[in-house]
Amino acid sequence: MTELSFTDVRAAADRLAGVAHRTPVLTSRTLDERVGAQVFLKAENFQRIGAFKFRGAYNAISRLTPEQLAAGVAAYSSGNHAQAVALAARLAGTSVVILMPEDAPPTKLAATRGYGAEVVTYDRYTQDRTALAQELATERGRTLIPPYDHYDVMAGQGTVALELIEEVGHLGALLVPVGGGGLMAGCATAATMMSPGIRMIGVEPAAGDDHARSLAAGERVEIAIPRTIADGQAISTPGELTFAVNQRLVESFELVSDAEILDAMAFAFERLKIVLEPSGASALAALLAGRIHGLPERVGVVLSGGNVGLERFHELLGNS
């Protein structure tokens, strides 16, 4: 595959049928009244492993040859992709080794190991995870499944938007959390075909504005690894493949503060009765904080994940 197409997203949906959960779409009259629009929340916190990442990981691994599966796979991730690859590899009957930051949330480390993966840790602030992972995969003769810069991964993530629009119909805008950009690239590819004229809006933490800077510059910009509660979005530069798609299809990348993310997590818990991790709440945070100007009547929001442990959840929200 040399580019990403709507056909690829459709094919991914076929592979995921009966394996991935078709996650619910939530609505809230309180939310609609507060923002002045009809809002449809795609709840990927109810996906297998607790986040959208399972879609892309399974789609990519399901396309490997028998020889590649026999040799095993490798991956690198701050947490959710790690769990996704670990589970997808187990379902495919192959082994996996995953490079994770040493300060990854303990719940994500434990869950990844729980799915049977070997975990190798590194320092996210001083070491190049991509280079380390490629070296690890080469040394062990494994196929590397990156977290976002991979067309099969992107196509799998795009099934989030495909399912949402199939269920609720035309949307005027879709808000998507952005880390490496794979979820957005897949969703934008599907949504712009299914809902012509839709405004694709990415959301990233203010401390990690690499996509906003890159879109403004017209090329990928690299920043220091951001220090934010949204660990799943702590990326220094957009993916090469993902940015090529997003530069063409995304209207803007809006920024939210950690405090606004906490407000969104609290709203989700108190009003929607669901638990979101910080990254999973960032798109909702942008909506609640009034970041989207000229809000259309019908808006989709991706709630990308809910992998936060009880202790961390209490730590974040206990005094907010």
Side-chain angles (χ1 to χ4, degrees):
M1 194 189 305
T2 57
E3 60 182 19
L4 184 65
S5 70
F6 182 53
T7 300
D8 299 320
V9 179
R10 280 279 188 204
D14 290 340
R15 294 184 197 101
L16 289 165
V19 182
H21 297 322
R22 191 175 181 96
T23 52
V25 177
L26 309 179
T27 58
S28 163
R29 185 173 299 175
T30 300
L31 178 60
D32 291 354
E33 291 174 352
R34 180 164 165 178
V35 303
Q38 191 173 8
V39 182
F40 301 93
L41 304 165
K42 183 63 167 166
E44 284 296 292
N45 51 308
F46 292 116
Q47 187 51 262
R48 296 184 76 165
I49 70 90
F52 74 95
K53 288 286 191 178
F54 178 74
R55 297 172 182 269
Y58 185 85
N59 187 52
I61 289 174
S62 71
R63 303 202 68 200
L64 297 181
T65 66
E67 292 76 19
Q68 289 173 313
L69 290 173
V73 298
Y76 56 93
S77 166
S78 62
N80 285 341
H81 180 65
Q83 295 172 74
V85 171
L87 176 56
R90 191 174 78 178
L91 293 173
T94 188
S95 63
V96 59
V97 58
I98 299 178
L99 187 73
M100 296 182 70
E102 58 193 11
D103 64 342
T107 53
K108 294 183 179 182
L109 284 164
T112 302
R113 292 188 174 107
Y115 288 123
E118 175 190 349
V119 174
V120 176
T121 60
Y122 74 102
D123 184 339
R124 76 164 89 209
Y125 301 107
T126 62
Q127 294 181 286
D128 183 339
R129 69 173 189 168
T130 305
L132 286 173
Q134 289 172 337
E135 181 180 338
L136 185 64
T138 300
E139 283 179 356
R140 301 198 186 186
R142 294 171 176 267
T143 300
L144 184 64
I145 308 293
Y148 46 84
D149 226 13
H150 187 293
Y151 287 124
D152 289 330
V153 171
M154 293 152 66
Q157 319 305 29
T159 60
V160 172
L162 185 149
E163 288 180 7
L164 174 61
I165 296 171
E166 279 183 344
E167 183 166 338
V168 306
H170 180 83
L171 293 172
L174 180 59
L175 279 60
V176 181
V178 178
L183 175 62
M184 172 56 92
C187 284
T189 298
T192 53
M193 286 294 293
M194 298 176 72
S195 198
I198 192 171
R199 298 168 58 193
M200 296 301 304
I201 300 170
V203 181
E204 54 189 349
D209 61 346
D210 52 302
H211 281 83
R213 293 192 192 195
S214 297
L215 191 64
E219 61 182 7
R220 293 162 67 223
V221 171
E222 185 164 4
I223 63 173
I225 293 291
R227 294 182 183 270
T228 169
I229 60 171
D231 63 279
Q233 295 176 282
I235 308 294
S236 62
T237 188
E240 181 179 357
L241 302 180
T242 61
F243 185 67
V245 175
N246 293 332
Q247 185 179 27
R248 178 168 50 88
L249 298 179
V250 177
E251 174 185 296
S252 65
F253 293 98
E254 303 299 330
L255 308 180
V256 289
S257 68
D258 280 2
E260 288 165 342
I261 290 173
L262 290 175
D263 287 344
M265 291 174 65
F267 180 91
F269 183 72
E270 293 174 349
R271 295 290 185 164
L272 305 174
K273 310 306 177 188
I274 61 172
V275 171
L276 298 177
E277 63 186 285
S279 301
S282 63
L284 177 60
L287 186 66
L288 290 169
R291 291 284 183 272
I292 317 305
H293 301 294
L295 202 65
E297 291 182 4
R298 292 167 56 85
V299 179
V301 177
V302 177
L303 308 177
S304 58
N307 287 324
V308 57
L310 176 60
E311 185 176 341
R312 178 61 171 161
F313 190 76
H314 183 266
E315 176 189 338
L316 288 169
L317 294 180
N319 298 314
S320 66

